[in-house]
Amino acid sequence: MLAVGKGGLGKAVALNWIAAQSGAAYCEVAQHTKAIRPMFLMLHDAYGVQKNSKHTYDLAKDCMNFLGTRYGPTRPLLVDEYQNFTPTVLRELLHLQERCGFALLLASNTQRLAARGVISTL
């Protein structure tokens, strides 16, 4: 699911409320989390999973395990400010979602997406 809107509309407040009410995992993409390795670390933090490795491959493998149905249904993932991801990192997250099948909601500011030329591709 994709949620876009003007800045100040209340997307972050709504996502936090949904996460609190439903038990979904919530994370906000900051500048330091927009590369692949930090994205996997962000997912570990959002789901409260201990990080057993510093290597990107092992972090990705751990994500596949706890996001897949191996340990039962996975809580939905709510990602705010996803426009901060590079296209490569967004592709990696979408690949992970496709492979593991967890519910994913991406939220962003329309002005920021338009400024990056992304809004025309949605």
Side-chain angles (χ1 to χ4, degrees):
M1 179 183 288
L2 180 63
V4 294
K6 295 179 181 179
L9 192 61
K11 294 179 299 298
V13 172
L15 291 177
N16 276 301
W17 185 84
I18 291 168
Q21 297 299 312
S22 69
Y26 171 84
C27 54
E28 182 176 333
V29 181
Q31 289 298 317
H32 68 280
T33 56
K34 66 181 192 174
I36 290 176
R37 183 176 177 281
M39 185 265 299
F40 285 127
L41 291 170
M42 179 184 73
L43 294 178
H44 279 75
D45 289 341
Y47 282 96
V49 176
Q50 184 177 358
K51 302 170 237 6
N52 295 326
S53 178
K54 294 181 180 181
H55 303 287
T56 302
Y57 175 80
D58 293 328
L59 291 169
K61 189 170 64 174
D62 290 344
C63 282
M64 289 285 204
N65 286 335
F66 71 77
L67 289 171
T69 57
R70 184 176 188 176
Y71 301 110
T74 302
R75 294 182 296 152
L77 176 63
L78 313 177
V79 181
D80 197 10
E81 302 291 342
Y82 89 92
Q83 79 280 349
N84 289 327
F85 281 144
T86 63
T88 303
V89 175
L90 180 58
R91 196 172 321 117
E92 188 70 26
L93 176 63
L94 294 176
H95 173 72
L96 187 64
Q97 186 274 332
E98 182 179 86
R99 186 157 185 197
C100 296
F102 58 91
L104 175 64
L105 186 147
L106 300 173
S108 183
N109 183 311
T110 51
Q111 290 88 352
R112 292 182 188 154
L113 286 174
R116 290 185 59 203
V118 175
I119 199 75
S120 61
T121 63
L122 296 176

